[in-house]
Amino acid sequence: MSSEKNISLQEQQFMDKIKAEEKIEPKDWMPEKYRKNLIRQISQHAHSEVIGMQPEGNFLTRAPSLRRKAILLSKIQDEAGHGLYLYSAAETLGITREEMIEALQSGQAKYASIFNYPALTWADMGAIGWLVDGAAIVNQVSLQRTSYGPYSRGMIRICKEESFHQRQGYDIMLTLVNGSAEQKAMAQDSLNRFYWPALMMFGPHDSESAHSAKSMEWKIKRETNDDLRQKFIDQTASQIEFLGLEHPDKDLKWNEERGHYDSGEIDWEEFHSVIAGNGHCNRQRLEHHIKAHEEGAWVREALAAYNAKKQANKAKAA
C-alpha cells in the first residue's frame, strides 16, 4: 500500500473515532493541523488563566475584609492550578512549557482579550468573577466533551472550580447593590465596563473566525462562538435584573419567536485593536509576566539541579 493510501486510511480512522465520540489520546495518530489547532487553543487557554491572575492579585491588599481576602486568594490559586493543568495537557501534544511561554512573551501567542482591561475598583473583582468567569463557564462546559482526552479531563475539574469563582463574583455584586448608593453606583460602573468585553471573549462571529469551522468538524469545539455568546446573553439578562442594575445593552430585547434575547452589536474594531496589542494593559500584563518569569529562574534552576542530582544518585545506587 502506498504512503498516500496509508495516510488516507489513518485520516479515515481518525475521523471515525471523532464521529463515534471516542477520545483522541496523546499516542494516537492525529493530523498535524489537529495537533497545531489544539496547541493553539489549549496554550491560549493556559495563558489566559495565568495572565488573569494579575488584576486580581493587585487587589489582595485592598480586599475589604479578611474573609474577602481569603476567598480572593483561593480563587487566584485555583487559576494558577488551571494554568498548570492546561500547560500539562498541551505538553502531551509535543510542545514544551518553555516554547509556550516564549510564544506568549514574544506576543506570538494570545490570551483572552478581557485581561487587557484595567481593574479599577473592588467592584471589578465582582464583575470579573461573575461575568468573566461566567463567560468562561459557558464556553468550558461544552469543552468537557472536547475530542482530545487530556483537555477534556482537565476541563471537568476546571469547570467545578470556575462555578465557585462565578458565585464569588456575583456575591460581591449582590453585597454592593444592597449597600450604600455609592456602592451600588460602583457596581453599575463595573458592569458597564466589563459587560461588552465579556461578550468579546467568545471570539468573532463564526463567519469571520479562522479556526471555528475546522474545530467544530474535529469536535475540539462543540458549540459555535455565536451560540455560546447567545447563551451568555440570555443567562446574564435575568441576573442583571435581579441585581437591580441597568443593562449596558440598550438594544436588548426578548424575541418571543426565537426564544432568545436580541442584542446590540459589539464594537469589533475595539476587539481587534485589543487583540493586536493596543488594549489598556497589553504591555503591562506581558511586562509583569516577563519580570516574574525572570525572577523565578532560580527556582527552575534549583529544581533542575535537584532532579539531576537525584537521577545521578539513583544511577550510582543501581
Side-chain angles (χ1 to χ4, degrees), residues 76-272:
I76 294 168
Q77 288 174 323
D78 282 349
E79 287 160 353
H82 297 174
L84 178 62
Y85 305 154
L86 292 162
Y87 282 132
S88 297
E91 284 176 315
T92 65
L93 291 157
I95 189 170
T96 66
R97 190 83 51 97
E98 291 75 20
E99 288 173 315
M100 287 184 278
I101 291 174
E102 169 59 29
L104 169 66
Q105 294 181 349
S106 68
Q108 179 185 347
K110 304 299 182 185
Y111 54 88
S113 59
I114 190 80
F115 298 118
N116 291 315
Y117 290 83
L120 306 176
T121 68
W122 173 250
D124 289 358
M125 297 301 97
I128 289 171
W130 166 38
L131 296 174
V132 177
D133 291 309
I137 291 169
V138 169
N139 184 43
Q140 292 170 11
V141 163
S142 66
L143 287 176
Q144 292 177 112
R145 298 183 294 112
T146 190
S147 61
Y148 188 58
Y151 192 22
S152 170
R153 292 187 287 271
M155 292 313 308
I156 293 170
R157 178 165 180 173
I158 289 173
C159 284
K160 288 178 181 177
E161 293 175 348
E162 291 287 8
S163 65
F164 155 73
H165 300 169
Q166 184 188 31
R167 289 194 293 272
Q168 170 260 356
Y170 198 72
D171 182 65
I172 290 174
M173 298 297 277
L174 195 58
T175 301
L176 289 171
V177 299
N178 287 300
S180 66
E182 289 80 7
Q183 287 173 320
K184 185 171 183 179
M186 186 191 298
Q188 182 68 63
D189 172 66
S190 188
L191 170 61
N192 292 344
R193 286 184 289 106
F194 276 92
Y195 179 77
W196 291 104
L199 293 187
M200 297 177 194
M201 287 177 64
F202 296 100
H205 290 308
D206 299 303
S207 58
E208 300 168 12
S209 175
H211 307 285
S212 192
K214 206 64 184 173
S215 290
M216 291 288 290
E217 181 186 344
W218 283 327
K219 297 186 180 179
I220 294 174
K221 286 180 63 174
R222 306 302 301 244
E223 297 182 73
T224 68
N225 294 350
D226 289 326
D227 285 346
L228 291 168
R229 187 168 18 247
Q230 183 68 65
K231 282 187 178 182
F232 180 74
I233 290 169
D234 290 347
Q235 76 177 30
T236 51
S238 59
Q239 293 168 349
I240 292 170
E241 183 180 0
F242 185 80
L243 289 172
L245 297 174
E246 291 184 21
H247 202 293
D249 185 355
K250 305 308 176 189
D251 294 324
L252 190 80
K253 186 178 181 181
W254 178 254
N255 186 319
E256 192 68 42
E257 186 177 343
R258 291 178 59 233
H260 296 286
Y261 282 95
D262 292 333
S263 57
E265 187 62 19
I266 293 168
D267 184 347
W268 291 112
E269 285 188 16
E270 178 183 324
F271 170 76
H272 290 298

Side-chain angles (χ1 to χ4, degrees), residues 28 166 187 219 273 294 303:
D28 294 343
Q166 184 188 31
K219 297 186 180 179
S273 178
E294 290 174 349
L303 281 170

